[in-house]
Amino acid sequence: MSELSQLVEQARQAFAQAKHPAELEDAKALFLGKSGRITELMKGLSSLSVEEKKTQGAAINETKRAVEGLLQDARQAMADAALAKQLAAEALDVTMPGRRRSTGGLHPVSLTLERIESIFGSMGFDVADGPEIETDWFNFTALNTPADHPARSMHDTFYVEGGQQDAPNLLRTHTSPMQIRHAVQHVKRYQTDIEAGKGMPEIRVIAPGRTYRVDSDATHSPMFHQCEGLWIGENVSFKDLRNVFTRFCQTFFENDDLVLRFRPSFFPFTEPSAEIDIQFPSGPLAGRWLEVAGSGQVHPNVVRNMGLDPERYIGFAFGMGPDRLTMLRYDIGDLRLFFDGDLRFLQQFN
Ligand code: DAH
């Protein structure tokens, strides 16, 4: 084998041995680089005769082209191999079952809130929304619960920055502040008519939302829900409240035989006050009185704080616990399940 064809053979082997592009470029330098073997052969031509230069030069050029061809092939093979490896690594198994996208659903308490809103909505009640960080005035004082009132101790809560020095803002302990907030707005809207003695349309509103207390066990959570109800007019009576609330409970629990009882109680913002208990005639809870709401005739001081004359306007209020209603509706024993975020529990409601 001639020296030149040996050289081509050596280049082929060197290129074949290269494992990385960098090694291939090193091998290339050995043959085609500035002081590579082919370059050296070219340099050697200068000492030859014109005739020899011609034949030798042509042969060396041919060799050079052959080596360059080999190099090109090796580069291509290396790139192909890298691509094949990448494709293999990123291969998709199109026969694998897809990941199912589950449909979202509403939280059981949200379902209850929607239900409450739609039932009361059908009876002409508006839905109001208000802040969870409340002032001392709206949460307590305006509701006839002054600073030294013992009822405040049952509403221990979380105090936050802001408010007055001896009356800091707080996370509302009930939705009752919405009675004042909503009524004040309503009164403002009809102020001219009220002052002219024409009166105002009745206030009929519910206000569902989150409330907070320092309380935590199977039936109490530091964050829980309430839904306030307020009905103020010139001709509203306890009988109306009873009718509306009975209708609500029967519709909510889909049970026309469910009965109600008003049990005397105390709340600073109502006088007289009553707890509302319900009883199912049949089913797992049959025969037991179950407390579902507090209620009462709005106290004259509270009516005054709404900007209304208690001699002319009379009203009724109630406050219920949507969490408890949800527990009763679905027969759930532990309130904390609502707030654990466990999908196995939550998925059952959708
Ligand atoms: N706010 C009371 C509570 O959280 C519940 C309540 C009782 C609301 C009587 C009312 C009411 O509107 O009239 O314990």
Side-chain angles (χ1 to χ4, degrees):
M1 200 188 286
S2 79
E3 194 197 341
L4 287 178
S5 44
Q6 248 178 24
L7 199 144
V8 172
E9 195 46 43
Q10 284 164 0
R12 185 198 309 280
Q13 280 174 20
F15 294 159
Q17 274 164 16
K19 288 191 202 69
H20 314 288
E23 279 181 23
L24 187 58
E25 295 315 305
D26 286 349
K28 170 200 160 186
L30 236 45
F31 295 92
L32 300 167
K34 253 190 213 154
S35 43
R37 291 177 55 191
I38 291 175
T39 323
E40 291 301 325
L41 285 175
M42 291 286 201
K43 285 182 197 157
L45 286 177
S46 56
S47 58
L48 298 181
S49 70
V50 176
E51 206 48 37
E52 277 173 326
K53 265 185 195 155
K54 246 189 195 161
T55 50
Q56 205 43 19
I60 294 173
N61 266 334
E62 200 177 313
T63 306
K64 188 180 177 194
R65 271 196 298 278
V67 171
E68 280 170 347
L70 288 173
L71 175 68
Q72 204 44 49
D73 291 350
R75 279 177 177 157
Q76 189 60 50
M78 206 166 261
D80 288 350
L83 181 63
K85 199 171 152 192
Q86 188 187 356
L87 287 176
E90 294 174 0
L92 294 178
D93 180 355
V94 292
T95 65
M96 243 163 79
R99 236 176 263 161
R100 262 211 300 156
R101 203 182 269 226
S102 54
T103 15
L106 288 180
H107 189 280
V109 174
S110 302
L111 292 172
T112 294
L113 293 175
E114 284 199 343
R115 225 173 143 70
I116 294 174
E117 288 174 20
S118 107
I119 299 170
F120 276 102
S122 77
M123 296 191 280
F125 280 73
D126 294 327
V127 178
D129 198 16
E132 287 170 34
I133 296 179
E134 250 320 347
T135 62
D136 186 88
W137 165 258
F138 282 113
N139 197 79
F140 292 123
T141 313
L143 291 165
N144 203 32
T145 317
D148 53 356
H149 198 291
R152 281 196 178 211
S153 60
M154 283 160 69
H155 286 229
D156 193 10
T157 181
F158 305 88
Y159 288 86
V160 297
E161 283 176 6
Q164 257 107 52
Q165 200 184 3
D166 44 359
N169 287 345
L170 45 89
L171 297 186
R172 64 179 180 189
T173 59
H174 50 179
T175 44
S176 300
M178 283 307 296
Q179 289 187 29
I180 308 286
R181 283 188 180 275
H182 182 80
V184 163
Q185 268 191 353
H186 186 92
V187 168
K188 208 184 266 172
R189 183 178 318 153
Y190 298 102
Q191 194 69 52
T192 349
D193 287 349
I194 294 171
E195 276 165 14
K198 281 194 231 158
M200 60 166 200
E202 285 190 348
I203 297 175
R204 238 184 274 173
V205 70
I206 58 164
R210 279 185 283 268
T211 47
Y212 303 84
R213 281 187 216 176
V214 184
D215 240 347
S216 190
D217 59 39
T219 52
H220 295 91
S221 151
M223 188 286 294
F224 58 105
H225 297 86
Q226 276 198 348
C227 180
E228 198 72 13
L230 180 68
W231 187 356
I232 301 234
E234 296 182 37
N235 249 321
V236 198
S237 75
F238 237 115
K239 197 176 87 187
D240 297 316
L241 173 68
R242 187 186 178 96
N243 284 342
V244 160
F245 211 83
T246 304
R247 174 80 183 283
F248 162 72
C249 291
Q250 291 179 342
T251 314
F252 183 87
F253 289 106
E254 295 165 272
N255 191 331
D256 286 343
D257 301 319
L258 176 154
V259 288
L260 252 72
R261 106 179 152 182
F262 283 74
R263 181 165 39 85
S265 183
F266 173 81
F267 299 101
F269 32 89
T270 45
E271 181 59 37
S273 306
E275 305 273 2
I276 305 178
D277 300 338
I278 59 168
Q279 193 179 82
F280 295 97
S282 57
L285 297 165
R288 281 170 54 197
W289 285 110
L290 308 157
E291 183 187 319
V292 290
S295 69
Q297 182 180 329
V298 180
H299 194 286
N301 287 345
V302 177
V303 176
R304 219 169 274 124
N305 288 333
M306 292 170 175
L308 291 170
D309 175 7
E311 294 296 327
R312 176 162 181 181
Y313 291 97
I314 186 165
F316 294 87
F318 52 87
M320 57 187 157
D323 304 326
R324 184 156 163 73
L325 291 180
T326 314
M327 290 170 81
L328 290 174
R329 179 155 188 246
Y330 297 110
D331 197 13
I332 295 162
D334 193 328
L335 174 76
R336 290 167 293 196
L337 283 167
F338 289 144
F339 310 121
D340 282 348
D342 188 335
L343 286 179
R344 289 169 304 175
F345 171 71
L346 297 173
Q347 273 164 350
Q348 298 176 64
F349 300 91
N350 288 285

